[in-house]
């Protein structure tokens, strides 16, 4: 029973593993044991359990990006590890600025060759009736612009390319 | 009363209108874009007619197709909801010209109130207090010069504006011209009308609005006020009625001003007159919304009325169903707007699929929504997906009730502001009632989520694991000898 599950929560990596199933289910979280009793499914996405004697009612859902929970009036998102590494890869490549959500280009405030500073508004997009400034992630020079005013784009579309740093 | 109604809208407001229409035995006709084909408003209407357009928004703005749908389904009247075509005078004219009753005011009243400059002048002319202001009539330089005379901070707005679009606060003369230019650009883009105006910005103002109902012949009643000061980016987040700590005299003056203005306009329909209230109890006319407001349910609960029914009654040329003296404020109501957004990320709109939607079990928590589990939240529409409304004997009890209701409201799969609303409602400052439109920015730090404690982290991780099928099968379905291997064997 050495299989462990890894989750990201609150910016940290955590490990969950089953220590034993009988006489009572004991699960280790980052090496600390917790007794889980009376696991009961209330509805399809709703269950309850006793954790160290305390009753917890949990709403649970997942999609390809994360597990979602609601417990004691608080909502939790636990992104899958492989998803996190994928997005991290995308954002650490600072030469390319991608759309984090679908939208429409409202204005373009730079052109190829423009020198920009960290935080400069490069383009303004509109998504769900809200205007959002897309700013430069670092100082640099704009190499390419893939955004035209009034054009629509999908999530992860490349919007602006910065000249690679030496 | 009408026999059939077409609802030229979508989402929660379409569902809301359908609910009342059905209760009155009126046949309901919905319109929809392909993206909404599975939406609740389509399912709940008696008839649903598809609109064709490149984008979902364009479909709900296509007046010709909508009027054609109304004619083909023999709708006697048309309810525009809010947003989209609800305050479009040409649309109202075209609907009436097609022989269909428009549930709204006369087109010229829509035009008058829809223009911030004209409506402000109209209010001033009729003795309603307005804030000092300057209008830009082409020449930017002289506008800047005149605007400076009012003093800073200044609020710049688009003449044709609404919903915070084209609005900005100018703190000093240096940025005035540039911000005026930006506002003109935004005004042009959103409203195809680049006229802007500047008015004195009241520090720590409250947003108080009055619900009115007019019959179009000069008879108008009010249904008291709503406090809508909890706003982010000039958009309301939490509304309540009555407004906390408003003296009876001030309440009467504000309500009387709203009624006077509406009478002078011979207003027909339910409408809202919005005011800015300064910390020293001066109030100024802001604008009039000639439609049903998002936050109308709090008035319905406090005054025990159905405003959609009232709209239909006055639109069918009947008398206003209530006398002013029979309208009483009873108890307190609070509404929270549920939006798919990321409050911790500058309220960025969130998209995705609603994997779980569970509504509060309390019988008297009202959840007006136009979404259901499994629905896709697309960037095509506004991020508001529903409204949670509670009513109780007083403000404290209402806060208690809505706190519990928010805790019970579950929306998973797409980020929402539910937890954020809970933190606002629970905050001591909200409970004290010292609210103004800068409340959320002023208390930004206190309204951030608290750090997770060890128990919360443990519970979340246990829950995350136990929700997974393969984890559960390891935990519960393991064969006995294997399962009991642990630190010790229970033989």
């Amino acid at each position: 029973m050495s299989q462990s599950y890894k989750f990201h929560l609150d910016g940290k990596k955590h490990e969950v593993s089953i220590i034993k199933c009988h006489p009572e289910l004991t699960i280790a979280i980052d090496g600390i044991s917790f007794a889980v009793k009376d696991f009961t499914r209330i509805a399809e996405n709703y269950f309850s359990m006793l954790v160290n004697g305390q009753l917890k009612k949990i709403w649970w859902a997942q999609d390809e990006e994360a597990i979602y929970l609601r417990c004691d009036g608080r909502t939790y998102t636990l992104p899958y590890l492989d998803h996190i590494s994928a997005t991290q890869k995308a954002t650490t490549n600072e030469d390319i600025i991608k759309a984090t959500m679908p939208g429409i280009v409202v204005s373009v405030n730079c052109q190829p060759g423009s020198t920009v500073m960290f935080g400069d508004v490069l383009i303004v997009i509109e998504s769900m009736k809200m205007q959002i400034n897309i700013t430069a992630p670092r100082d640099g020079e704009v190499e390419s612009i893939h955004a035209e005013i009034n054009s629509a784009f999908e999530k992860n579309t490349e919007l602006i390319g910065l000249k690679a740093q030496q | 009363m009408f026999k059939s109604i077409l609802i030229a809208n979508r989402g929660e407001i379409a569902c809301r209108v359908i609910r009342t229409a059905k209760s009155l035995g009126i046949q309901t006709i919905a319109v929809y874009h392909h993206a909404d084909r599975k939406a609740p408003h389509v399912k709940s209407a008696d008839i649903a007619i598809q609109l064709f357009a490149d984008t979902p928004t364009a479909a709900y703005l296509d007046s010709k197709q909508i009027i054609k749908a109304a004619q083909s389904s023999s709708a006697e009247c048309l309810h525009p909801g809010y947003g989209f075509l609800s305050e479009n005078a040409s649309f109202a004219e075209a609907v009436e010209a097609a022989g269909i009753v428009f549930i709204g005011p006369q087109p010229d009243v829509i035009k008058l109130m829809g223009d911030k400059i004209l409506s402000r002048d109209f209010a001033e002319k009729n003795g309603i207090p307005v804030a000092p202001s300057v209008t830009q009539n082409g020449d930017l330089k002289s506008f800047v010069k005149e605007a400076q005379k009012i003093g800073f901070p200044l609020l710049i707005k688009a003449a044709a504006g609404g919903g915070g679009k084209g609005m900005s606060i100018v703190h000093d003369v240096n940025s005035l011209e540039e911000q005026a230019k930006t506002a003109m650009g935004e005004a042009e883009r959103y409203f195809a009308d680049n006229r802007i105006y500047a008015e004195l910005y009241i520090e720590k103002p409250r947003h108080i609005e009055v619900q009115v109902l007019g019959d179009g012949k000069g008879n108008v009643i009010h249904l008291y006020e709503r406090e809508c000061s909890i706003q982010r980016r000039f958009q309301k987040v939490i509304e309540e009625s009555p407004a906390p700590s408003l003296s009876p005299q001030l309440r009467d003056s504000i309500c009387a001003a709203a009624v006077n203005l509406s009478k002078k306009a011979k207003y027909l329909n339910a409408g809202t007159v919005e005011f800015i209230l300064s910390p020293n109890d001066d109030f100024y006319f802001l604008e009039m919304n000639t439609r049903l407001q998002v936050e109308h349910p709090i008035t319905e609960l406090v005054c025990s009325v159905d405003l959609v029914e009232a709209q239909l009654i006055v639109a069918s040329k009947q008398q206003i169903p209530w006398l002013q003296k029979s309208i009483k404020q009873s108890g307190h109501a609070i509404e929270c707007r549920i939006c798919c957004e990321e409050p911790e990320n500058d309220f960025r709109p969130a998209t995705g699929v609603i994997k779980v939607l569970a509504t509060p079990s309390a019988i008297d928590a009202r959840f007006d929504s136009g979404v259901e589990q499994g629905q896709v939240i697309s960037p095509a529409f506004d991020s508001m997906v529903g409204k949670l409304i509670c009513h109780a004997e007083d403000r404290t009890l209402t806060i208690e009730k809505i706190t519990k209701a928010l805790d019970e409201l579950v929306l998973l799969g797409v980020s929402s502001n539910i937890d954020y609303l809970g933190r606002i409602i629970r905050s001591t400052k909200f409970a004290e009632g010292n609210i103004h439109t800068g409340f959320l920015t002023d208390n930004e730090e206190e309204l951030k989520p608290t750090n997770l404690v060890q128990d919360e982290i443990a519970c979340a991780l246990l829950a995350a694991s136990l929700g997974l099928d393969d984890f559960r099968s390891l935990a519960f379905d393991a064969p006995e000898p294997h399962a009991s291997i642990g630190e010790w064997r229970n033989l």
Side-chain angles (χ1 to χ4, degrees):
Chain A
M1 193 107 5
S2 59
Q3 190 175 353
S4 74
Y5 285 72
K6 294 181 183 68
F7 296 97
H8 246 106
L9 179 61
D10 217 17
K12 287 183 205 83
K13 205 158 112 181
H14 300 274
E15 224 174 288
V16 181
S17 56
I18 298 171
I19 294 176
K20 57 179 180 161
C21 301
H22 297 285
E24 61 181 23
L25 180 61
T26 308
I27 296 173
I29 292 172
D30 303 328
I32 302 166
S33 297
F34 290 86
V36 178
K37 275 193 211 169
D38 296 348
F39 178 90
T40 313
R41 200 174 266 274
I42 304 164
E44 200 194 337
N45 294 83
Y46 191 32
F47 56 80
S48 68
M49 58 185 184
L50 279 172
V51 178
N52 287 353
Q54 268 192 307
L55 180 69
K56 296 287 174 190
K57 288 184 174 179
I58 319 279
W59 287 94
W60 190 98
Q62 70 171 334
D63 61 17
E64 52 286 346
E65 292 180 0
I67 291 175
Y68 307 92
L69 305 169
R70 187 153 170 84
C71 175
D72 293 333
R74 191 159 185 163
T75 310
Y76 301 83
T77 302
L78 296 89
Y80 290 126
L81 284 177
D82 53 348
H83 179 71
I84 288 185
S85 50
T87 44
Q88 269 172 355
K89 213 190 240 166
T91 49
T92 47
N93 182 354
E94 289 183 355
D95 296 341
I96 294 164
I97 301 158
K98 286 184 176 182
T100 52
M101 65 178 86
I104 289 167
V105 180
V106 174
S107 73
V108 180
N109 305 347
C110 59
Q111 46 195 343
S114 299
T115 308
V116 294
M117 304 233 303
F118 167 78
D120 281 356
V121 178
L122 302 180
I123 61 169
V124 181
I125 62 161
E126 188 179 304
S127 188
M128 296 171 103
K129 288 188 175 178
M130 292 222 309
Q131 288 208 0
I132 295 154
N133 293 337
I134 306 292
T135 57
R138 61 165 169 86
D139 297 354
E141 188 185 318
V142 175
E143 191 173 62
S144 54
I145 298 174
H146 313 277
E148 248 178 83
I149 291 182
N150 291 330
S151 65
F153 53 82
E154 291 302 313
K155 189 173 175 174
N156 289 329
T157 307
E158 194 174 313
L159 296 173
I160 303 270
L162 296 180
K163 205 166 180 177
Q165 283 173 311
Q166 276 109 19
Chain B
M1 188 47 77
F2 304 105
K3 287 193 190 70
S4 57
I5 184 170
L6 181 135
I7 301 98
N9 215 302
R10 63 179 299 281
E12 73 89 15
I13 194 61
C15 296
R16 166 73 192 88
V17 174
I18 290 170
R19 201 166 65 229
T20 288
K22 285 200 159 177
S23 76
L24 298 171
I26 302 171
Q27 187 189 39
T28 54
I29 303 140
V31 288
Y32 68 99
H33 177 268
H34 180 75
D36 269 338
R37 66 197 181 280
K38 292 177 189 160
H41 83 276
V42 176
K43 289 184 202 162
S44 58
D46 298 317
I47 301 171
I49 299 173
Q50 188 173 355
L51 304 171
F52 298 90
D54 291 344
T55 66
T57 310
Y60 294 101
L61 287 171
D62 191 330
S63 47
K64 279 198 185 129
Q65 270 195 75
I66 292 171
I67 292 170
K68 222 175 122 199
Q71 287 172 319
S72 72
S73 57
S74 308
E76 288 184 353
C77 66
L78 181 148
H79 196 299
Y82 52 68
F84 295 120
L85 294 163
S86 61
E87 289 173 292
N88 183 317
S90 329
F91 176 64
E93 253 164 22
V95 170
E96 297 274 346
I100 299 153
V101 176
F102 180 75
I103 309 294
Q106 311 85 323
D108 56 326
V109 177
I110 301 181
K111 226 175 268 172
L112 169 70
M113 295 305 177
D115 188 303
K116 290 205 174 184
I117 296 170
L118 291 180
S119 63
R120 193 193 164 282
D121 291 349
F122 180 80
E124 194 172 19
K125 205 173 70 198
N126 287 295
I128 314 292
V130 294
S133 79
V134 175
T135 308
Q136 167 263 336
N137 287 320
D139 181 12
L140 191 63
K141 288 272 180 259
S142 66
F143 170 73
V144 167
K145 206 170 138 196
E146 289 300 312
Q148 280 179 49
K149 289 183 191 163
I150 298 174
F152 294 93
L154 274 175
L155 192 61
I156 294 185
K157 295 186 199 177
K165 301 279 190 304
M167 236 159 110
S168 66
I169 299 165
V170 185
H171 290 280
D172 56 62
V173 65
N174 299 327
S175 54
L176 177 57
E177 188 168 337
E178 202 186 319
Q179 279 183 261
K181 261 190 211 157
T182 310
M184 282 170 71
E186 259 183 56
E188 177 68 44
R189 213 169 36 245
Y190 281 113
F191 313 110
D193 177 351
N194 73 359
R195 288 173 309 140
I196 55 163
Y197 69 102
E199 68 177 24
L200 179 68
Y201 178 70
I202 317 281
E203 302 266 12
K204 294 193 188 293
R206 286 168 70 182
H207 176 115
I208 308 281
E209 59 183 34
V210 179
Q211 177 70 54
V212 295
L213 182 67
D215 66 357
K217 295 170 205 140
N219 301 308
V220 176
I221 64 158
H222 70 79
L223 295 103
Y224 292 99
E225 85 287 3
R226 293 185 287 256
E227 163 105 44
C228 313
S229 300
I230 304 291
Q231 305 184 352
R232 57 129 175 84
R233 297 172 178 236
F234 300 114
Q235 285 176 348
K236 299 161 189 168
V237 178
I238 295 174
E239 300 99 340
E240 58 184 308
S241 183
S245 59
L246 201 66
S247 74
Q249 294 83 352
L250 188 56
R251 172 173 291 118
D252 288 348
S253 310
I254 296 177
C255 291
V259 169
N260 278 342
L261 181 84
S262 316
K263 277 187 174 169
K264 289 281 158 42
K266 284 211 170 31
Y267 190 78
L268 167 69
N269 189 29
T272 298
V273 185
E274 300 189 334
F275 296 96
I276 284 295
L277 178 65
S278 80
N280 46 3
D281 284 356
D282 292 321
F283 65 92
Y284 305 103
F285 170 75
L286 191 63
E287 63 180 17
M288 180 169 194
N289 293 319
T290 56
R291 52 165 164 86
L292 195 65
Q293 298 275 99
V294 172
E295 59 274 22
H296 75 275
I298 53 175
T299 299
E300 294 189 316
L301 292 177
V302 167
C303 296
S304 306
V305 294
D306 181 330
L307 285 169
V308 174
E309 184 179 359
Q311 283 187 297
L312 297 175
I313 289 172
V314 293
S316 63
K317 306 276 187 296
Q318 297 176 59
Q319 276 183 353
I320 294 175
W322 315 288
L323 293 172
Q324 182 66 68
K325 63 177 183 201
S326 67
I327 301 294
K328 298 264 186 292
Q329 281 180 308
S330 157
H332 198 95
I334 297 180
E335 172 183 278
C336 288
R337 296 192 185 193
I338 311 300
C339 299
C340 283
E341 62 185 18
E342 298 172 18
E344 281 78 68
N345 200 355
D346 205 17
F347 303 100
R348 188 177 281 241
T351 56
V353 178
I354 297 182
K355 291 283 179 182
V356 174
L357 179 68
T359 52
S361 52
I363 304 156
D364 49 0
R366 174 170 160 184
F367 186 60
D368 281 15
S369 95
V371 291
E372 55 190 15
Q373 195 163 302
Q375 196 164 325
V376 180
I377 301 302
S378 87
F381 303 112
D382 195 89
S383 60
M384 194 188 84
V385 293
K387 303 165 335 195
L388 183 66
I389 312 115
C390 285
H391 180 232
E393 294 90 90
D394 61 29
R395 189 169 189 265
T396 311
L397 291 173
T398 310
I399 290 176
E400 266 173 39
K401 194 181 264 187
I402 203 158
T403 303
K404 200 162 164 268
L406 278 168
D407 280 355
E408 285 184 14
L409 182 63
V410 182
L411 195 160
L412 295 181
V414 190
S415 296
S416 83
N417 64 344
I418 296 173
D419 291 15
Y420 179 64
L421 291 166
R423 295 196 295 274
I424 301 171
I425 291 284
R426 276 190 176 88
S427 73
T428 347
K429 285 193 176 147
F430 182 79
E432 285 163 358
N434 293 325
I435 52 182
H436 57 88
T437 58
F439 183 90
L440 295 183
T441 7
D442 283 7
N443 297 296
E444 205 179 332
E445 282 307 310
E446 287 140 273
L447 294 173
K448 281 187 176 157
T450 52
N451 291 330
L452 291 175
V453 297
Q454 199 55 47
D455 277 2
E456 288 174 310
I457 293 173
C459 177
L461 292 165
L462 290 171
S465 315
L466 284 163
L468 292 166
D469 291 342
D470 52 345
F471 190 95
R472 265 199 321 278
S473 63
L474 282 175
F476 302 119
D477 303 332
E480 197 61 16
H482 183 57
S484 54
I485 298 169
E487 285 148 11
W488 112 169
R489 289 183 70 148
N490 181 23
L491 291 170

